[in-house]
Amino acid sequence: KRDLEDPSSAHFGFLPFYKHLILVFSVINSQIHTSSGLAAKDHYKVLVLGGGSGGITMAARMKRKVGAQSVAIVEPSEVHYYQPIWTLVGAGAKSVASSVRSTVSVIPSGVTWVKSKVAEFDPKNNTVHTDSGKKISYDYLIVALGLELHYEKIKGLPEGFEHPKIGSNYSVKTVEKTWNALKNFKEGNALFTFPNTPVKCGGAPQKIMYLSDAFLRKTGKRSKANIIYNTPLPKLFGVKKYADALWEIVKKRDLNINLRHNLIEVRADKQEAVFENLDKPGETEVYKYEMIHVTPPMGPPAVLKGSSLDDAAGWLDVNKNTLQHKTYANVFGIGDCTNLPTAKTAAAVAAQSAVLDRTVSRILKKQTPDKIYDGYTSCPLVTSYNTVILAEFDYDGQPLETFPVDQSKESRVMYHMKADFMPLLYWHGLLKGLWGGPGPYRTIMHLGMK
């Protein structure tokens, strides 16, 4: 062992082979993990649908409850992304590579991975059908399918991304295009949009605006830029305390905000974007741009829409307090695919996971769920390359702040927490089923008071 670790060792040349051997064993282990899942049994005590943040953390938690052999996770993708960091990737502050892990590396050891897409639900028979033709039955089902991006609902997209000067931080395919558009900006309008649908991380569309402003100032181009944020919403941010703070930043930095403006078309070849005025139906306005960041319309997973598990809008229909399905008592939901009336964020998933863990535990014991989810969610509003306003709030849009300071103030400490600490907490805490949100720490920091 000393010889392999000591550069002065006569055997140091063996190190590359040693590392290669570890890699080979790692790959073999991955294949065993994967193939065993593909050839696995057809019934599980707990079946988890989706390998995003909600699915992985609940698989880890359920493994501790019922044993790894009794848990399976259905997920088609071979890669897992830490998407919150893409805001900083789009601004050139982080790399895409820092957001990526293999799916096999984040699935809890021993848990079966069914590498397929969900094709159909049959909750009356406690069964799920996959696109590979597999039929899997369960005692308990956890749905964590996330949401879907719909660039195609904007005329001219997604094909418009083949042109320069356009990007989107919401897809791994387009996030680096945002950075390319920003660093190559010369003169004109820098446009930033928000869709007329529910979104994940509702603050992200304006975070990249603040970062772009900071970058253009740093590079001496700000005087040649007209920064515009067009949103269909009637307000800048949903929680007044943070909205007031953001309006102050907007005024101070000479940013232009147009409320009730919805993007309906991108003419990438002409560098034009068309918006409809929601307060004046039928009225449209064309904006020329030197750069545009598009936030796509979003919606529930297609497989959920029209199933017996969705609400009228296509989202998973769950009790907002317990995360248990309103019709099927052995079905539960977490994260972006649900109709929980709170912002769709990774922070919300963390808090929901702790509640859902307790809910399932009680159900397993034939007891009534007793832990209530208060809608906690968080949005670290990045306002520059070294400042963040850490918004935390509940179902009612009331601030639910963890730290005993005014979090509506820009903070360098909060920036480093967003950029450096939260990724570690995600990979090593949330995905391991060990992080259920800051609730207990909030109580301590506020001396027992909310």
Side-chain angles (χ1 to χ4, degrees):
K1 183 175 184 293
R2 183 192 63 80
D3 287 348
L4 294 175
E5 294 174 346
D6 184 0
S8 65
S9 166
H11 300 287
F12 184 63
F14 182 63
L15 184 56
F17 173 76
Y18 177 70
K19 286 186 174 180
H20 181 71
L21 198 60
I22 292 175
L23 179 61
V24 169
F25 278 116
S26 175
V27 171
I28 291 172
N29 181 58
S30 297
Q31 293 302 314
I32 291 172
H33 184 101
T34 307
S35 60
S36 65
L38 292 173
K41 57 188 181 181
D42 297 324
H43 178 85
Y44 296 89
K45 192 170 188 68
V46 178
L47 181 63
V48 180
L49 306 182
S53 55
I56 297 297
T57 189
M58 289 314 300
R61 287 174 177 271
M62 293 301 100
K63 171 186 171 180
R64 292 197 288 271
K65 288 281 184 295
V66 300
Q69 74 284 353
S70 297
V71 180
I73 186 164
V74 181
E75 168 57 47
S77 178
E78 293 187 354
V79 289
H80 180 104
Y81 297 104
Y82 175 59
Q83 297 179 34
I85 208 69
W86 287 349
T87 286
L88 298 179
V89 174
K94 293 285 183 178
S95 68
V96 170
S98 70
S99 72
V100 185
R101 297 284 190 280
S102 65
T103 297
V104 73
S105 72
V106 297
I107 290 180
S109 62
V111 168
T112 300
W113 176 20
V114 180
K115 193 177 163 188
S116 301
K117 285 183 180 179
V118 178
E120 185 183 347
F121 295 97
D122 184 5
K124 289 183 179 178
N125 293 305
N126 298 328
T127 302
V128 166
H129 298 258
T130 72
D131 64 348
S132 62
K134 190 176 181 67
K135 188 163 71 173
I136 310 171
S137 61
Y138 56 81
D139 292 337
Y140 303 94
L141 180 70
I142 296 176
V143 184
L145 290 171
L147 51 65
E148 294 181 356
L149 307 180
H150 292 291
Y151 288 101
E152 78 283 356
K153 291 189 176 181
I154 299 170
K155 187 177 179 182
L157 296 181
E159 61 271 18
F161 287 112
E162 296 174 7
H163 293 264
K165 303 183 183 297
I166 176 173
S168 176
N169 292 350
Y170 276 82
S171 169
V172 71
K173 297 177 181 178
T174 56
V175 63
E176 291 177 304
K177 293 179 183 292
T178 303
W179 172 231
N180 287 333
L182 178 56
K183 68 183 179 182
N184 293 316
F185 185 95
K186 293 182 174 61
E187 182 177 4
N189 290 335
L191 271 175
F192 302 87
T193 75
F194 192 101
N196 196 22
T197 65
V199 298
K200 53 182 172 182
C201 194
Q206 60 183 291
K207 295 177 194 179
I208 187 60
M209 170 183 66
Y210 302 124
L211 284 162
S212 296
D213 168 72
F215 178 79
L216 295 174
R217 290 179 187 277
K218 184 171 66 173
T219 54
K221 298 177 183 178
R222 183 61 181 88
S223 62
K224 298 180 180 179
N226 182 33
I227 297 180
I228 304 168
Y229 179 71
N230 286 358
T231 172
L233 299 177
K235 57 184 73 174
L236 184 57
F237 194 74
V239 180
K240 186 179 185 303
K241 176 177 181 176
Y242 307 116
D244 289 347
L246 293 171
W247 276 117
E248 289 301 314
I249 292 172
V250 163
K251 292 171 188 173
K252 180 181 175 182
R253 301 185 192 174
D254 192 26
L255 308 174
N256 300 289
I257 310 297
N258 295 312
L259 304 176
R260 305 292 289 159
H261 280 58
N262 182 45
L263 179 67
I264 57 174
E265 181 180 359
V266 174
R267 303 165 183 165
D269 56 333
K270 299 178 180 178
Q271 291 174 225
E272 293 178 348
V274 183
F275 293 83
E276 60 178 344
N277 187 329
L278 297 181
D279 288 332
K280 299 177 181 178
E283 182 178 305
T284 61
E285 189 172 355
V286 179
Y287 288 73
K288 293 286 290 184
Y289 65 81
E290 167 67 6
M291 166 193 176
I292 184 170
H293 175 270
V294 177
T295 302
M298 303 177 203
V303 70
L304 263 180
K305 296 174 71 174
S307 73
S308 53
L309 296 179
D310 68 333
D311 66 4
W315 303 99
L316 187 73
D317 197 17
V318 297
N319 180 298
K320 75 172 196 173
N321 296 321
T322 64
L323 283 70
Q324 186 176 26
H325 194 268
K326 290 181 180 177
T327 303
Y328 299 96
N330 64 334
V331 177
F332 310 87
I334 186 172
D336 296 352
C337 69
T338 67
N339 61 355
L340 296 170
T342 193
K344 299 177 184 295
T345 67
V349 167
Q352 290 164 22
S353 71
V355 174
L356 186 51
D357 187 25
R358 176 68 175 178
T359 293
V360 175
S361 294
R362 298 278 294 180
I363 297 293
L364 285 169
K365 297 173 184 175
K366 310 299 181 187
Q367 298 172 339
T368 303
D370 61 355
K371 191 175 178 71
I372 292 177
Y373 175 52
D374 57 11
Y376 172 83
T377 189
S378 174
C379 182
L381 293 155
V382 183
T383 53
S384 75
Y385 284 88
N386 58 12
T387 55
V388 155
I389 288 174
L390 183 59
E392 295 180 287
F393 49 97
D394 62 15
Y395 275 137
D396 300 321
Q398 295 301 308
L400 199 56
E401 297 181 345
T402 299
F403 301 96
V405 296
D406 183 358
Q407 291 179 199
S408 68
K409 304 293 185 184
E410 291 181 277
S411 167
R412 288 174 178 264
V413 171
M414 299 303 180
Y415 175 84
H416 289 295
M417 188 171 75
K418 154 72 178 177
D420 305 315
F421 177 69
M422 286 184 177
L424 294 174
L425 186 62
Y426 180 84
W427 297 116
H428 304 291
L430 180 61
L431 295 192
K432 304 296 184 185
L434 302 174
W435 174 247
Y441 304 96
R442 182 187 310 118
T443 303
I444 294 170
M445 294 214 185
H446 291 269
L447 304 177
M449 296 177 285
K450 186 174 180 181

